[in-house]
Amino acid sequence: MTSNESLTKLGYRLGLSGTHTARTMMLDELTVLFELTAPDTTRDGYRAEVVDFNVLGKPTQKSRVLTFGHLTDLYGLDPAIPVFRVFRKLWAADEQARPVLALCLALVRDPVLRLSESFVLGKALGESVRREEVEALIQAAEPDRFSPATLKSIAQNINGSWTQAGYLAGRARKVRTMPNVTPSNITFALFLSHLEGLTGQRLFSSRWVTLLCSSPSELEALANSASHRGQIVFLNAGGVKEVRFPGFLTAEEEQWLHE
């Protein structure tokens, strides 16, 4: 498996702190920002748009700076970060994939949001997801770290992100729903699995592919479609699967996987 040091270089954020203590995954803000910027925009370029030009329409200078900080923590906003660079390319290519793409990268970079992953995915379609359940989940994982008011806020933010991504629906009462998944989503899920050191058939049983909530035959069909689009190279012969990611990483970044 890939070392934590290498994962950090690739764009993962480990540790305990996360943006969901203050915000959701901010899908609306991210969508507006990307509509007004090119895929190769630098971090300084994104900062100029958010802070200097206020493209997100924030009321104060402080709120502009905070918003940029939250978006940077969640997504990286820097083409030098491999997970963001690939995410940004897929975002530009596939509008339908965007909510689940954003959730995946937010999970890569937010340890607080990651606390809820198994819980939400363990819910059956149509089953209720109560805020109090999420509060209890966080409290159990981080005893006495957060006040009751903060726990409530974090749980609301977490449920908000899963709702934005299409895994939950409803306002006062949240229920589990099926997200919309496209070939670009399996491309990103397989890529993240590759970064974590998985190969072959094991790629298709990773947590990232599980996140897509699809059957094995549906996953194969998505991977075939992604391959036909030129996003990945997917070979499947006699039940033996191989996936390649041409051009996704530089030679130096590929080396990080083996450190």
Side-chain angles (χ1 to χ4, degrees), residues 15 33 54 72 155 161 236:
L33 181 60
N54 195 25
T72 301
S161 289
N236 184 17

Side-chain angles (χ1 to χ4, degrees), residues 10 49 52 130 135-137 152 156 187 193 204 235 244:
L10 292 162
E49 294 293 335
D52 299 337
R130 297 185 300 113
E135 291 179 32
L137 182 77
K152 179 179 179 180
Q156 288 173 330
T187 295
S193 307
F204 286 83
L235 306 173
R244 301 173 191 159

Side-chain angles (χ1 to χ4, degrees), residues 16 49 53 55 73 94 136 142 164 184 199 201 210 214 224-225 236 252:
L16 298 175
E49 294 293 335
F53 305 126
V55 297
D73 287 344
D94 190 345
E142 300 290 341
Q164 290 171 34
S184 295
T199 59
Q201 180 62 45
T210 299
S214 301
N224 276 318
S225 183
N236 184 17
E252 180 183 12

Side-chain angles (χ1 to χ4, degrees), residues 110-204:
D110 192 332
V112 175
L113 180 62
R114 286 200 292 271
L115 294 174
S116 66
E117 183 178 350
S118 296
F119 167 75
V120 172
L121 295 182
K123 291 286 187 177
L125 293 179
E127 189 174 355
S128 176
V129 177
R130 297 185 300 113
R131 189 199 74 238
E132 292 82 2
E133 292 179 287
V134 181
E135 291 179 32
L137 182 77
I138 300 164
Q139 174 67 13
E142 300 290 341
D144 304 320
R145 179 181 172 191
F146 301 111
S147 69
T150 301
L151 279 175
K152 179 179 179 180
S153 176
I154 294 171
Q156 288 173 330
N157 290 336
I158 286 173
N159 282 352
S161 289
W162 287 102
T163 302
Q164 290 171 34
Y167 289 78
L168 301 179
R171 289 185 176 273
R173 179 178 178 270
K174 300 287 188 185
V175 296
R176 180 75 162 83
T177 52
M178 181 65 76
N180 182 45
V181 174
T182 80
S184 295
N185 294 127
I186 190 120
T187 295
F188 198 48
L190 291 170
F191 175 63
L192 293 174
S193 307
H194 168 68
L195 295 185
E196 294 176 8
L198 302 180
T199 59
Q201 180 62 45
R202 295 175 65 207
L203 290 167
F204 286 83

Side-chain angles (χ1 to χ4, degrees), residues 22-87:
R23 296 294 303 271
T24 69
M25 71 177 189
M26 306 172 70
L27 184 62
D28 289 344
E29 289 98 326
L30 192 70
T31 300
V32 171
L33 181 60
F34 284 177
E35 284 176 352
L36 299 172
T37 52
D40 61 351
T41 300
T42 64
R43 180 174 291 184
D44 286 344
Y46 285 119
R47 189 184 192 284
E49 294 293 335
V50 175
V51 177
D52 299 337
F53 305 126
N54 195 25
V55 297
L56 300 181
K58 299 301 176 182
T60 66
Q61 178 74 7
K62 181 179 179 180
S63 63
R64 298 179 200 178
V65 172
L66 284 173
T67 296
F68 177 72
H70 291 322
L71 285 169
T72 301
D73 287 344
L74 275 171
Y75 300 108
L77 299 186
D78 187 343
I81 298 174
V83 290
F84 174 76
R85 185 177 65 243
V86 172
F87 163 80

